[in-house]
Amino acid sequence: FLSGVFSFGFPAVWTWNGVALASEAFKAKLLLVHRYVGPVIYYAMVGTILLGIQEKEGFIGCAYKVESADLFPPAHYHLIPFACKMSHYLGLLVLGTGLCTSFALHPIDRGSYHHN
């Protein structure tokens, strides 16, 4: 965040004691850092949200009693508390949003997929 504010908030024409605050070369180097560190922070945030949902489900007891082999878990869907069902859906929503955002962040080079 701070690298983006610094490189776009200070144009290259602003100087301090004759030195440009953000030269074009510096902005280019900062953009490389931003392009790789930014998604890592975003994916870590998505993972933290999912782990937090999982931990909260453990605290409130999102489980049902299993007395024999559970070969088809969807058959026991009605045994899961409503709050747990909502947190499952929230987790799927967060995961889906993270996956869709990751596809939007990384452009696909369509030129490499042409068949001759």
Side-chain angles (χ1 to χ4, degrees):
F1 173 76
L2 293 178
S3 66
V5 168
F6 183 76
S7 60
F8 293 111
F10 299 116
V13 295
W14 287 4
T15 60
W16 184 64
N17 289 337
V19 178
L21 290 178
S23 67
E24 293 300 322
F26 180 74
K27 285 183 180 184
K29 289 178 184 176
L30 204 55
L31 180 63
L32 288 175
V33 173
H34 177 75
R35 284 185 62 191
Y36 294 106
V37 174
V40 168
I41 292 171
Y42 180 76
Y43 300 143
M45 181 208 53
V46 169
T48 302
I49 291 170
L50 293 174
L51 288 172
I53 291 171
Q54 179 186 8
E55 185 178 16
K56 187 59 121 177
E57 287 180 353
F59 290 157
I60 62 175
C62 289
Y64 57 88
K65 185 150 179 80
V66 178
E67 297 174 359
S68 62
D70 192 7
L71 301 176
F72 189 65
H76 303 284
Y77 181 75
H78 65 282
L79 298 174
I80 300 173
F82 180 74
C84 300
K85 292 176 188 176
M86 288 296 106
S87 66
H88 285 20
Y89 290 131
L90 178 64
L92 290 173
L93 183 66
V94 168
L95 180 64
T97 303
L99 288 175
C100 290
T101 306
S102 70
F103 287 122
L105 278 175
H106 304 290
I108 298 171
D109 181 20
R110 299 191 190 283
S112 64
Y113 293 112
H114 292 295
H115 296 288
N116 293 333

